[in-house]
Amino acid sequence: MSNETLWYLSRATGLASITLLTLVVILGLLTSGRRRPFGERATIVMGLHRWVSLGMVAFLTTHIVTAIVETYVSIDWISLVIPFTSAYSPLWVGLGTLAFDVLVAVMVTSYWRHRMTERAWTAVHWLGYLMWPMAIAHGVALGTADQPLLRGTTLLCGAAGALALAWRLTTSYADRDRRRDILAGGWS
Amino acid sequence: MSSDQRRPSRRRAPVSAGAPRIGVDRVACSGHGICAQTLADVVGLDEWGYPIVADRPVEAKDADLAVKLCPARALYLRP
Ligand code: SF4
């Protein structure tokens, strides 16, 4: 594959990854912040949250491998796992690496969720809230300035995610509220 | 009584021998109601959206999926 093809492939899969990642984050926020039970939708949201995250891995793997293999900018294999080691834009590539490391932790713990304590799983899963903004910053900073589509999509993802986050923050813990309402209703 | 209320359906699909039954950890369950979708044959929801589980076996693969998709990890299998 020519260097140019690799470069474009890396851009395209990066864009797909950030879009899917944002979707996964929004679906997760919808699940944890739902205001009342909503049946089928809850199931679809939950299923998509799990399976879109798996689908994203294919795009993300391609994004990372092509970014390392192409020689237009120099990024070594070590930057796959160790952040801030890249010769090219160490900070912004490093944020991508860090986000990837966290993502691996989140996915591995979710795969083995049934073998972990709920507390440990939750602690790791919460890191997702750190990982997603890092991925957005990585995308905005490196999203090729002369290509408004790339940067624009990432910014749009950021806005959509922020909106979902705001919605999540304004809902209180739905289950706790429901239990309180049931109690307040008395035992009729 | 809200319109959310659903009882487990009376329909009984034949299940293989040794199929598990479903249990709910009532403390962990946060009433997402997803089990009522994934296991419509044996799980219904009460008027507040918490599961009512029928004491009948279900296909192991359906049960596994339901356990996986429960966001609160409140579903478990029992023999
Ligand atoms: S899917 Fe889990 S949290 Fe939701 S109602 Fe069923 S047991 Fe409770």
Side-chain angles (χ1 to χ4, degrees):
Chain A
M1 243 189 277
S2 82
N3 216 20
E4 195 164 88
T5 317
L6 286 174
W7 174 256
Y8 284 123
L9 197 57
S10 188
R11 301 302 95 182
T13 47
L15 209 60
S17 305
I18 195 70
T19 311
L20 292 179
L21 176 66
T22 304
L23 184 64
V24 170
V25 168
I26 292 175
L27 292 167
L29 287 165
L30 282 179
T31 294
S32 63
R34 89 244 174 278
R35 285 186 163 86
R36 44 170 303 121
F38 50 81
E40 274 125 71
R41 271 182 294 154
T43 310
I44 293 167
V45 166
M46 196 60 219
L48 281 177
H49 176 69
R50 292 183 67 106
W51 288 307
V52 173
S53 61
L54 289 179
M56 179 191 56
V57 171
F59 291 100
L60 193 59
T61 311
T62 316
H63 171 63
I64 294 171
V65 170
T66 48
I68 293 176
V69 170
E70 65 86 31
T71 52
Y72 183 56
V73 295
S74 77
I75 303 174
D76 280 331
W77 283 103
I78 184 156
S79 300
L80 176 67
V81 279
I82 305 184
F84 314 116
T85 50
S86 153
Y88 166 71
S89 192
L91 174 63
W92 301 117
V93 172
L95 271 188
T97 305
L98 211 54
F100 175 67
D101 291 342
V102 172
L103 182 76
V104 169
V106 168
M107 295 199 75
V108 167
T109 50
S110 285
Y111 189 79
W112 277 300
R113 189 181 181 189
H114 295 277
R115 302 196 184 177
M116 307 178 61
T117 63
E118 184 69 8
R119 189 177 289 245
W121 175 83
T122 312
V124 177
H125 221 71
W126 263 85
L127 289 176
Y129 287 122
L130 272 179
M131 175 264 286
W132 175 76
M134 290 194 293
I136 293 283
H138 163 90
V140 171
L142 297 176
T144 320
D146 61 348
Q147 298 287 341
L149 182 70
L150 294 186
R151 192 161 280 174
T153 307
T154 314
L155 287 172
L156 216 63
C157 284
L163 212 65
L165 200 59
W167 174 83
R168 170 71 185 96
L169 288 174
T170 55
T171 77
S172 38
Y173 187 50
D175 179 55
R176 193 189 53 207
D177 288 358
R178 190 132 23 97
R179 287 180 199 224
R180 193 197 52 216
D181 291 348
I182 293 168
L183 273 179
W187 306 99
S188 52
Chain B
M1 191 183 288
S2 87
S3 57
D4 285 326
Q5 182 160 16
R6 256 169 284 144
R7 300 278 162 191
S9 86
R10 301 252 166 258
R11 184 164 55 88
R12 282 170 204 214
V15 246
S16 349
R21 283 157 206 266
I22 288 290
V24 178
D25 176 340
R26 296 284 165 189
V27 178
C29 171
S30 44
H32 287 261
I34 291 174
C35 49
Q37 300 279 314
T38 47
L39 292 171
D41 273 2
V42 291
V43 182
L45 297 179
D46 69 13
E47 64 182 288
W48 301 287
Y50 293 94
I52 301 167
V53 184
D55 192 20
R56 288 203 298 271
V58 281
E59 280 305 340
K61 75 172 191 335
D62 298 343
D64 282 342
L65 179 71
V67 168
K68 264 193 198 140
L69 283 185
C70 169
R73 204 162 65 162
L75 286 182
Y76 58 90
L77 307 181
R78 49 202 185 84

